Amino acid sequence: MASTTITVQPHQILERILSLEIVRVTERAAVSSARLRGRGNEKAADQAAVDAMRRELNKLPIDGTVVIGEGERDEAPMLYIGENVGTKSGFRVDIAVDPLEGTTLCAKNMPGAIATMAMAEGGTLLNAPDVYMDKIAIGPGYPAGVVDLDAPAEENILSLAKAKDVKPADITALILDRPRHADLIAAVRKAGAAVRLITDGDVAGVIHCADPQQTGVDIYMGIGGAPEGVLAAAALRCIGGQMQCRLILDSDEKRERAKKMGISDPRKKYEIADMVRGDCLFAATGVTDGSFLRGVKFRKDVIETETVVMRSVTGTVRYIRAEHRQLDKFYLD
Protein backbone atom coordinates (compact mmCIF):
# COMPACT_ATOMS: atom_id res chain seq x y z
CA MET A 1 0.00 0.00 0.00
CA ALA A 2 1.40 3.39 -0.99
CA SER A 3 1.92 5.83 1.84
CA THR A 4 0.31 9.27 1.76
CA THR A 5 2.35 12.31 2.66
CA ILE A 6 0.67 15.43 4.02
CA THR A 7 2.61 18.61 3.35
CA VAL A 8 2.09 21.46 5.79
CA GLN A 9 3.74 24.83 5.28
CA PRO A 10 5.93 26.06 8.17
CA HIS A 11 3.65 28.99 9.03
CA GLN A 12 0.67 26.61 9.14
CA ILE A 13 2.48 24.37 11.61
CA LEU A 14 2.95 27.31 13.93
CA GLU A 15 -0.68 28.33 13.55
CA ARG A 16 -1.87 24.81 14.31
CA ILE A 17 0.32 24.74 17.38
CA LEU A 18 -1.16 28.05 18.49
CA SER A 19 -4.70 26.68 18.18
CA LEU A 20 -3.82 24.32 21.02
CA GLU A 21 -1.67 26.81 22.91
CA ILE A 22 -4.48 29.33 23.26
CA VAL A 23 -6.57 26.56 24.81
CA ARG A 24 -3.97 26.37 27.56
CA VAL A 25 -4.27 30.13 28.04
CA THR A 26 -8.04 30.09 28.59
CA GLU A 27 -7.83 26.90 30.68
CA ARG A 28 -5.42 28.55 33.11
CA ALA A 29 -7.57 31.66 33.39
CA ALA A 30 -10.73 29.60 33.93
CA VAL A 31 -9.23 27.44 36.66
CA SER A 32 -7.76 30.42 38.50
CA SER A 33 -11.06 32.29 38.56
CA ALA A 34 -13.08 29.13 39.29
CA ARG A 35 -11.28 28.83 42.62
CA LEU A 36 -13.13 32.00 43.62
CA ARG A 37 -16.62 30.97 42.47
CA GLY A 38 -19.34 32.00 44.86
CA ARG A 39 -17.05 34.09 47.05
CA GLY A 40 -18.76 37.36 46.17
CA ASN A 41 -15.54 39.08 45.10
CA GLU A 42 -15.75 40.05 41.43
CA LYS A 43 -12.47 41.96 41.37
CA ALA A 44 -10.47 39.12 42.92
CA ALA A 45 -11.91 36.56 40.50
CA ASP A 46 -11.23 38.83 37.52
CA GLN A 47 -7.68 39.58 38.68
CA ALA A 48 -6.96 35.88 39.15
CA ALA A 49 -8.04 35.21 35.57
CA VAL A 50 -6.00 38.15 34.26
CA ASP A 51 -2.83 37.11 36.07
CA ALA A 52 -3.10 33.52 34.82
CA MET A 53 -3.85 34.58 31.25
CA ARG A 54 -0.94 37.03 31.19
CA ARG A 55 1.50 34.39 32.48
CA GLU A 56 0.46 31.92 29.80
CA LEU A 57 0.42 34.47 26.98
CA ASN A 58 3.95 35.47 27.84
CA LYS A 59 5.09 31.87 27.30
CA LEU A 60 3.82 31.73 23.72
CA PRO A 61 6.22 32.05 20.75
CA ILE A 62 4.49 35.18 19.45
CA ASP A 63 5.01 38.92 19.19
CA GLY A 64 1.56 39.78 20.46
CA THR A 65 -0.26 43.05 21.05
CA VAL A 66 -3.46 43.29 23.08
CA VAL A 67 -5.78 45.38 20.91
CA ILE A 68 -8.96 44.54 22.84
CA GLY A 69 -8.47 44.36 26.59
CA GLU A 70 -9.76 45.54 29.93
CA GLY A 71 -8.11 48.93 30.15
CA GLU A 72 -6.12 51.49 28.19
CA ARG A 73 -3.42 52.69 30.58
CA ASP A 74 0.04 51.19 30.92
CA GLU A 75 -0.33 51.12 34.69
CA ALA A 76 -3.56 49.12 34.56
CA PRO A 77 -3.33 45.81 36.41
CA MET A 78 -5.51 44.19 33.76
CA LEU A 79 -4.44 43.09 30.28
CA TYR A 80 -4.56 46.58 28.86
CA ILE A 81 -4.93 47.77 25.30
CA GLY A 82 -1.48 48.16 23.79
CA GLU A 83 0.20 45.66 26.11
CA ASN A 84 2.83 43.46 24.45
CA VAL A 85 2.74 39.75 25.27
CA GLY A 86 4.60 36.63 24.20
CA THR A 87 8.27 35.81 23.89
CA LYS A 88 8.63 38.27 20.95
CA SER A 89 10.31 35.46 19.00
CA GLY A 90 7.37 34.49 16.80
CA PHE A 91 5.18 36.16 14.22
CA ARG A 92 3.13 39.27 14.95
CA VAL A 93 -0.44 38.78 16.18
CA ASP A 94 -3.32 40.86 17.51
CA ILE A 95 -5.01 39.62 20.65
CA ALA A 96 -8.46 40.27 22.12
CA VAL A 97 -9.12 39.10 25.66
CA ASP A 98 -11.83 38.85 28.25
CA PRO A 99 -10.12 36.79 30.95
CA LEU A 100 -13.37 36.42 32.88
CA GLU A 101 -16.54 37.21 31.00
CA GLY A 102 -19.26 37.26 33.61
CA THR A 103 -17.44 38.40 36.73
CA THR A 104 -20.76 38.68 38.56
CA LEU A 105 -21.74 35.21 37.40
CA CYS A 106 -18.50 33.82 38.84
CA ALA A 107 -18.77 35.77 42.08
CA LYS A 108 -22.32 34.49 42.59
CA ASN A 109 -21.56 31.02 41.17
CA MET A 110 -24.24 31.47 38.51
CA PRO A 111 -24.27 29.76 35.08
CA GLY A 112 -22.37 31.06 32.06
CA ALA A 113 -19.05 32.55 33.19
CA ILE A 114 -16.22 31.87 30.72
CA ALA A 115 -12.58 32.77 30.08
CA THR A 116 -12.12 33.78 26.47
CA MET A 117 -9.66 35.21 23.95
CA ALA A 118 -9.09 35.59 20.23
CA MET A 119 -5.86 35.79 18.27
CA ALA A 120 -5.47 37.07 14.71
CA GLU A 121 -2.82 38.12 12.24
CA GLY A 122 -1.10 41.37 13.22
CA GLY A 123 -3.05 44.47 12.25
CA THR A 124 -6.33 42.68 11.50
CA LEU A 125 -8.39 43.06 14.70
CA LEU A 126 -10.39 46.21 15.35
CA ASN A 127 -8.41 48.41 17.74
CA ALA A 128 -11.17 50.03 19.77
CA PRO A 129 -11.44 51.75 23.14
CA ASP A 130 -13.05 49.99 26.08
CA VAL A 131 -16.52 51.51 25.63
CA TYR A 132 -20.07 50.32 25.01
CA MET A 133 -21.09 48.91 21.64
CA ASP A 134 -24.50 48.48 20.02
CA LYS A 135 -24.85 45.03 18.43
CA ILE A 136 -27.11 42.81 16.38
CA ALA A 137 -26.23 39.25 15.36
CA ILE A 138 -27.75 36.19 13.74
CA GLY A 139 -26.39 32.81 12.77
CA PRO A 140 -25.27 31.47 9.38
CA GLY A 141 -27.42 30.50 6.43
CA TYR A 142 -29.27 33.74 5.71
CA PRO A 143 -28.97 36.19 2.80
CA ALA A 144 -26.89 39.29 3.47
CA GLY A 145 -28.83 42.18 4.94
CA VAL A 146 -31.58 40.17 6.62
CA VAL A 147 -31.14 42.29 9.73
CA ASP A 148 -29.75 45.80 10.11
CA LEU A 149 -28.46 47.59 13.19
CA ASP A 150 -30.23 50.79 12.13
CA ALA A 151 -33.62 49.18 11.43
CA PRO A 152 -36.38 49.16 14.07
CA ALA A 153 -36.45 46.05 16.25
CA GLU A 154 -39.87 45.05 14.94
CA GLU A 155 -38.59 45.19 11.37
CA ASN A 156 -35.61 42.98 12.16
CA ILE A 157 -37.82 40.40 13.87
CA LEU A 158 -40.25 40.28 10.93
CA SER A 159 -37.41 40.11 8.40
CA LEU A 160 -35.68 37.26 10.23
CA ALA A 161 -38.96 35.36 10.62
CA LYS A 162 -39.56 35.69 6.88
CA ALA A 163 -36.04 34.45 6.11
CA LYS A 164 -36.54 31.44 8.40
CA ASP A 165 -40.05 30.85 6.99
CA VAL A 166 -41.58 30.94 10.45
CA LYS A 167 -43.91 33.21 12.37
CA PRO A 168 -42.50 36.01 14.57
CA ALA A 169 -43.80 34.02 17.53
CA ASP A 170 -41.21 31.36 16.70
CA ILE A 171 -38.32 33.84 17.06
CA THR A 172 -36.40 34.26 20.32
CA ALA A 173 -34.17 37.28 20.90
CA LEU A 174 -31.38 37.24 23.46
CA ILE A 175 -30.91 40.58 25.25
CA LEU A 176 -28.89 41.72 28.26
CA ASP A 177 -31.20 42.47 31.19
CA ARG A 178 -30.46 46.16 31.61
CA PRO A 179 -32.74 49.20 32.16
CA ARG A 180 -31.38 50.71 28.92
CA HIS A 181 -33.02 47.89 26.99
CA ALA A 182 -36.58 48.43 28.22
CA ASP A 183 -37.76 49.94 24.92
CA LEU A 184 -35.94 47.29 22.87
CA ILE A 185 -37.50 44.47 24.88
CA ALA A 186 -40.95 46.01 24.51
CA ALA A 187 -40.49 46.40 20.74
CA VAL A 188 -39.38 42.78 20.29
CA ARG A 189 -42.37 41.52 22.25
CA LYS A 190 -44.70 43.82 20.34
CA ALA A 191 -43.48 42.18 17.13
CA GLY A 192 -44.62 38.86 18.57
CA ALA A 193 -41.21 37.39 19.38
CA ALA A 194 -39.99 35.99 22.69
CA VAL A 195 -37.20 37.54 24.74
CA ARG A 196 -34.60 35.63 26.70
CA LEU A 197 -32.84 37.85 29.20
CA ILE A 198 -29.30 37.30 30.45
CA THR A 199 -27.60 39.10 33.31
CA ASP A 200 -24.08 38.93 31.84
CA GLY A 201 -22.06 37.16 29.18
CA ASP A 202 -22.77 38.59 25.76
CA VAL A 203 -19.86 36.84 24.02
CA ALA A 204 -21.55 33.51 24.69
CA GLY A 205 -24.86 35.22 23.98
CA VAL A 206 -23.87 36.12 20.43
CA ILE A 207 -22.41 32.66 19.83
CA HIS A 208 -25.72 31.13 20.93
CA CYS A 209 -27.50 32.58 17.91
CA ALA A 210 -25.19 30.64 15.58
CA ASP A 211 -26.93 27.37 16.50
CA PRO A 212 -30.59 28.17 17.19
CA GLN A 213 -31.71 24.53 16.99
CA GLN A 214 -29.46 23.73 19.92
CA THR A 215 -29.76 26.92 21.95
CA GLY A 216 -33.23 28.22 21.05
CA VAL A 217 -31.75 31.66 20.34
CA ASP A 218 -32.32 33.20 16.90
CA ILE A 219 -30.98 36.73 17.27
CA TYR A 220 -28.86 38.81 19.65
CA MET A 221 -29.73 42.48 20.11
CA GLY A 222 -28.68 45.36 22.33
CA ILE A 223 -25.83 47.26 23.91
CA GLY A 224 -22.87 45.56 25.59
CA GLY A 225 -19.13 46.01 25.81
CA ALA A 226 -16.89 46.64 22.80
CA PRO A 227 -14.32 44.01 23.89
CA GLU A 228 -17.08 41.41 24.00
CA GLY A 229 -18.29 42.56 20.58
CA VAL A 230 -14.94 41.99 18.91
CA LEU A 231 -14.50 38.61 20.62
CA ALA A 232 -17.96 37.54 19.46
CA ALA A 233 -17.17 38.73 15.93
CA ALA A 234 -14.05 36.54 15.96
CA ALA A 235 -16.15 33.53 16.93
CA LEU A 236 -18.74 34.22 14.22
CA ARG A 237 -15.98 34.64 11.65
CA CYS A 238 -15.03 31.05 12.46
CA ILE A 239 -18.49 29.47 12.56
CA GLY A 240 -20.52 31.75 10.31
CA GLY A 241 -23.23 34.32 10.89
CA GLN A 242 -23.92 38.01 10.51
CA MET A 243 -23.15 40.78 12.96
CA GLN A 244 -23.29 44.56 12.87
CA CYS A 245 -21.95 46.82 15.61
CA ARG A 246 -21.38 50.48 16.36
CA LEU A 247 -19.18 51.96 19.07
CA ILE A 248 -21.04 54.25 21.45
CA LEU A 249 -18.80 57.29 21.57
CA ASP A 250 -21.14 59.66 23.37
CA SER A 251 -18.62 62.14 24.77
CA ASP A 252 -15.73 64.21 23.49
CA GLU A 253 -13.35 62.22 25.68
CA LYS A 254 -14.46 58.88 24.18
CA ARG A 255 -14.31 60.23 20.64
CA GLU A 256 -10.80 61.53 21.26
CA ARG A 257 -9.70 58.13 22.64
CA ALA A 258 -11.14 56.43 19.58
CA LYS A 259 -9.45 58.90 17.25
CA LYS A 260 -6.07 58.14 18.81
CA MET A 261 -6.70 54.48 17.99
CA GLY A 262 -7.28 55.26 14.33
CA ILE A 263 -11.09 55.45 14.35
CA SER A 264 -11.94 58.42 12.13
CA ASP A 265 -15.70 57.85 11.83
CA PRO A 266 -17.32 57.61 15.29
CA ARG A 267 -20.63 56.53 13.72
CA LYS A 268 -19.20 53.74 11.56
CA LYS A 269 -21.28 50.57 11.38
CA TYR A 270 -18.95 47.59 11.62
CA GLU A 271 -19.53 44.24 9.95
CA ILE A 272 -17.66 41.10 11.05
CA ALA A 273 -15.05 41.61 8.31
CA ASP A 274 -14.39 45.13 9.61
CA MET A 275 -13.66 43.87 13.11
CA VAL A 276 -11.76 40.68 12.22
CA ARG A 277 -10.10 40.96 8.81
CA GLY A 278 -7.56 38.10 8.79
CA ASP A 279 -7.29 34.49 9.87
CA CYS A 280 -8.19 34.19 13.53
CA LEU A 281 -8.41 31.74 16.39
CA PHE A 282 -11.02 31.89 19.14
CA ALA A 283 -11.05 29.97 22.41
CA ALA A 284 -13.29 29.92 25.48
CA THR A 285 -13.17 27.76 28.61
CA GLY A 286 -16.11 27.36 30.97
CA VAL A 287 -15.70 28.74 34.49
CA THR A 288 -19.20 27.98 35.78
CA ASP A 289 -21.59 25.48 34.20
CA GLY A 290 -23.63 27.00 31.39
CA SER A 291 -25.54 26.15 28.24
CA PHE A 292 -22.41 26.94 26.19
CA LEU A 293 -19.68 25.16 28.19
CA ARG A 294 -19.31 23.11 31.34
CA GLY A 295 -17.55 24.80 34.22
CA VAL A 296 -14.31 23.77 35.89
CA LYS A 297 -14.60 20.66 38.07
CA PHE A 298 -12.23 20.17 40.99
CA ARG A 299 -11.88 16.44 41.69
CA LYS A 300 -9.47 14.64 43.95
CA ASP A 301 -6.10 14.86 42.16
CA VAL A 302 -7.78 15.93 38.89
CA ILE A 303 -9.10 19.21 37.48
CA GLU A 304 -11.55 18.96 34.58
CA THR A 305 -12.12 21.70 32.00
CA GLU A 306 -14.17 22.12 28.85
CA THR A 307 -13.00 24.44 26.08
CA VAL A 308 -14.13 25.33 22.59
CA VAL A 309 -11.50 26.44 20.07
CA MET A 310 -12.29 27.69 16.57
CA ARG A 311 -10.29 28.72 13.51
CA SER A 312 -11.63 30.91 10.75
CA VAL A 313 -9.50 29.72 7.82
CA THR A 314 -10.76 26.15 8.18
CA GLY A 315 -14.08 26.72 9.94
CA THR A 316 -13.04 24.04 12.41
CA VAL A 317 -14.70 23.98 15.85
CA ARG A 318 -13.23 21.66 18.48
CA TYR A 319 -14.60 20.97 21.94
CA ILE A 320 -11.86 19.83 24.29
CA ARG A 321 -12.75 18.16 27.58
CA ALA A 322 -9.51 17.86 29.50
CA GLU A 323 -8.44 16.09 32.67
CA HIS A 324 -5.44 17.79 34.24
CA ARG A 325 -3.33 15.70 36.60
CA GLN A 326 -0.25 17.89 36.85
CA LEU A 327 -1.88 20.47 39.06
CA ASP A 328 1.22 22.57 39.76
CA LYS A 329 0.81 24.26 36.37
CA PHE A 330 -2.26 26.08 37.66
CA TYR A 331 -0.31 27.84 40.38
CA LEU A 332 2.20 30.66 40.21
CA ASP A 333 5.54 29.67 38.72
Side-chain angles (χ1 to χ4, degrees):
M1 178 181 292
S3 62
T4 301
T5 301
I6 299 175
T7 302
V8 180
Q9 298 301 319
H11 71 281
Q12 292 178 318
I13 294 174
L14 183 57
E15 289 164 353
R16 289 183 181 190
I17 291 171
L18 286 176
S19 67
L20 182 58
E21 291 296 335
I22 70 167
V23 171
R24 294 191 177 98
V25 175
T26 57
E27 283 175 345
R28 301 297 197 276
V31 170
S32 293
S33 55
R35 295 186 186 282
L36 296 170
R37 288 183 303 213
R39 306 306 171 95
N41 193 332
E42 297 180 14
K43 289 184 178 179
D46 196 27
Q47 191 66 59
V50 168
D51 291 344
M53 186 168 278
R54 179 182 277 126
R55 286 196 305 273
E56 292 306 313
L57 282 171
N58 282 328
K59 296 176 184 178
L60 297 186
I62 57 172
D63 181 4
T65 301
V66 176
V67 298
I68 292 290
E70 295 195 310
E72 296 169 42
R73 298 183 304 275
D74 287 354
E75 66 271 16
M78 302 306 180
L79 279 157
Y80 58 85
I81 296 172
E83 182 171 351
N84 295 120
V85 294
T87 63
K88 314 299 187 295
S89 60
F91 62 98
R92 191 167 67 90
V93 296
D94 287 350
I95 293 172
V97 299
D98 194 344
L100 178 57
E101 194 210 13
T103 54
T104 301
L105 300 177
C106 181
K108 295 182 177 180
N109 204 6
M110 295 170 63
I114 60 175
T116 185
M117 68 166 289
M119 182 183 295
E121 300 171 57
T124 65
L125 283 184
L126 175 67
N127 190 4
D130 188 1
V131 296
Y132 281 119
M133 176 183 269
D134 198 5
K135 313 167 192 175
I136 189 169
I138 57 175
Y142 303 106
V146 169
V147 296
D148 191 289
L149 186 65
D150 293 325
E154 300 97 321
E155 184 178 316
N156 282 319
I157 295 297
L158 295 174
S159 179
L160 181 58
K162 182 178 179 180
K164 290 174 69 73
D165 195 24
V166 299
K167 297 178 181 178
D170 296 320
I171 298 295
T172 296
L174 191 72
I175 302 173
L176 274 171
D177 189 5
R178 299 288 188 272
R180 62 177 177 265
H181 289 149
D183 291 343
L184 174 62
I185 292 167
V188 170
R189 288 174 173 161
K190 183 179 179 181
V195 173
R196 182 187 299 181
L197 295 172
I198 55 173
T199 59
D200 293 277
D202 56 339
V203 174
V206 170
I207 296 172
H208 272 59
C209 71
D211 189 6
Q213 288 188 333
Q214 181 70 27
T215 65
V217 173
D218 300 287
I219 185 170
Y220 178 93
M221 309 170 81
I223 296 170
E228 291 83 355
V230 176
L231 281 161
L236 289 189
R237 184 164 177 85
C238 296
I239 57 180
Q242 299 179 36
M243 186 176 186
Q244 292 181 349
C245 304
R246 179 178 287 117
L247 295 168
I248 298 179
L249 304 172
D250 51 4
S251 70
D252 291 339
E253 184 266 340
K254 291 177 183 176
R255 286 187 287 272
E256 184 60 28
R257 280 159 54 196
K259 186 177 181 181
K260 289 179 179 178
M261 293 182 177
I263 296 173
S264 57
D265 180 5
R267 293 291 301 163
K268 180 179 174 62
K269 182 163 60 177
Y270 295 93
E271 306 273 353
I272 292 175
D274 298 315
M275 294 183 282
V276 189
R277 298 189 300 277
D279 183 20
C280 72
L281 302 168
F282 172 90
T285 301
V287 176
T288 60
D289 283 337
S291 55
F292 180 36
L293 291 164
R294 295 178 58 190
V296 177
K297 301 291 186 294
F298 295 99
R299 313 291 192 195
K300 182 181 179 182
D301 301 325
V302 174
I303 296 175
E304 298 176 4
T305 58
E306 184 176 41
T307 302
V308 61
V309 59
M310 312 173 184
R311 187 178 178 199
S312 65
V313 76
T314 58
T316 304
V317 178
R318 291 184 174 91
Y319 283 87
I320 300 174
R321 293 180 64 178
E323 295 181 353
H324 307 273
R325 289 177 171 78
Q326 184 184 346
L327 305 187
D328 290 348
K329 65 188 179 183
F330 292 109
Y331 297 93
L332 289 173
D333 294 335

